Amino acid sequence: MIENGKYSHGRKVAEFEAALAAYTGARFVIGVNSGTDALVLLLRAAGLRPGDEVVVPAFSFGASATSVVLAGGRPVFADIEPVGYGIDPAAVEAAAGERTRFVMPTHLFSQLADIDGVLRVARRCGLIVIEDSAEAIGMRRGGTHAGLFGTGGVLSFFPTKTLGAIGDAGAVLTGDPRIAETADALRHHGRFGATIGDFPAIATTTGLPGVNSKMDDVQAAVLLAKLDRLDGDIARRASLATRYTESLEGVTGVRKVPLPRRDSVFYVYVVEVDSRDDLAAHLSANGVQTEIYYPAPLHLQPCFAELGHREGDFPNAENACRHTLALPLYPDMSTDDVEQVCGLIRAFYQGRRA
Ligand SMILES: *Cc1c(COP(=O)(O)O)cnc(C)c1O
């Protein structure tokens, strides 16, 4: 790639897009420079107009809602389901009003949201379904890959994701040729491959106010190499997750463990626990790093203050923020490591009871 001298939006990117299309079954894959940009550009390409409302979950990564604002829309929050942490289809229906044109479910942590339920509500309310499938590479239901149940979806290749680059990268997935063409133009300054009158040579027009969100070839090259190992990594993650679940089920203080399903891909292994912050401190003191995804719900973030939400509006989202903890999980981890983490958790709650 370096010898070839084309570092951005070049041949490696095209190769990776084709490989990812084959892996996911997407008709169109548009490589961009982050999952966040993929969401913004997909919403724009799918026809979001200024002021359009988009129903999003109150519990997710910030970009699930800020992308709506960046695309010119207005997020409307809905609560999640307590198991699986996906948006609750009944809450989507209750939240949808006259100006609502989109719903954007997020597939969080290790399984798909209730996508059939969301699609049913979307049909009833006339909503376009865009999936925040940033975390969901490898998750499929009935042969359909995440991001392809509705109008389109995204992937993030942030280094910590299941398929991670060595920097930022992302992609739009869609089966719609018009949306693909628009997203393709938007990532590259809004250029379409047309001439203007008889102006020669440029062969591009600024048809839309696009952005610079091209993918770097070095990221595409790394992702291409790692794509070959992806299914092996996913299988390894699954067996480590099963080990965690077997070890932690029924442990005092552990409220909920994820139960592997057919659509499960363990991007992260998230449990619900009592005294979450104390447990995290205990694990950290013993050399075990954990993460909290996500410490505060979206409806209470300062940047959405004008929506006027308060604590108590979305109890399931708030409960998830208070009690969830992501335990270490990566393909190179050993089952002994898993047992060691589980041993520390058991000891922590035994110590508190004594
Ligand atoms: C990671 C992530 C994003 C954003 O992806 P970036 O590549 O970091 O911009 C969006 N939504 C969810 C749910 C994510 O986990």
Side-chain angles (χ1 to χ4, degrees), residues 101-188:
R101 287 191 61 228
F102 293 82
V103 57
M104 196 158 79
T106 305
H107 308 300
L108 277 188
F109 305 153
S110 62
Q111 67 182 52
L112 296 170
D114 176 4
I115 193 69
D116 296 330
V118 169
L119 289 168
R120 260 197 305 278
V121 167
R123 220 172 296 127
R124 260 204 305 277
C125 302
L127 306 179
I128 298 167
V129 178
I130 299 288
E131 295 166 70
D132 181 351
S133 41
E135 302 182 357
I137 196 159
M139 292 186 202
R140 292 180 181 86
R141 173 120 91 226
T144 301
H145 193 278
L148 298 169
F149 291 99
T151 293
V154 304
L155 290 171
S156 165
F157 308 112
F158 183 73
T160 63
K161 300 277 153 100
T162 307
L163 178 63
I166 52 170
D168 280 297
V172 170
L173 312 179
T174 184
D176 184 316
R178 258 197 30 252
I179 290 172
E181 187 191 33
T182 308
D184 175 30
L186 285 172
R187 71 172 159 177
H188 193 195

Side-chain angles (χ1 to χ4, degrees), residues 243-301:
R243 188 69 173 245
Y244 263 129
T245 291
E246 284 167 2
S247 271
L248 291 176
E249 230 173 351
V251 168
T252 311
V254 178
R255 297 179 176 196
K256 203 183 285 171
V257 291
L259 300 175
R261 310 191 315 189
R262 283 189 56 167
D263 62 324
S264 296
V265 170
F266 281 86
Y267 157 54
V268 285
Y269 185 87
V270 171
V271 290
E272 256 179 68
V273 293
D274 292 334
S275 313
R276 191 262 321 267
D277 295 343
D278 291 344
L279 174 64
H282 169 77
L283 291 172
S284 173
N286 285 279
V288 174
Q289 190 192 339
T290 57
E291 283 291 342
I292 295 171
Y293 306 104
Y294 303 92
L298 295 179
H299 61 286
L300 301 180
Q301 300 286 343

Side-chain angles (χ1 to χ4, degrees), residues 5 9 68 71 112 147 160 171 175-176 217 229 237 260 315 326 330 348 352:
H9 204 50
V68 172
L112 296 170
T160 63
D176 184 316
D217 281 55
R229 303 179 26 173
R237 285 170 179 275
Y330 49 93
F348 171 76
R352 285 172 87 87

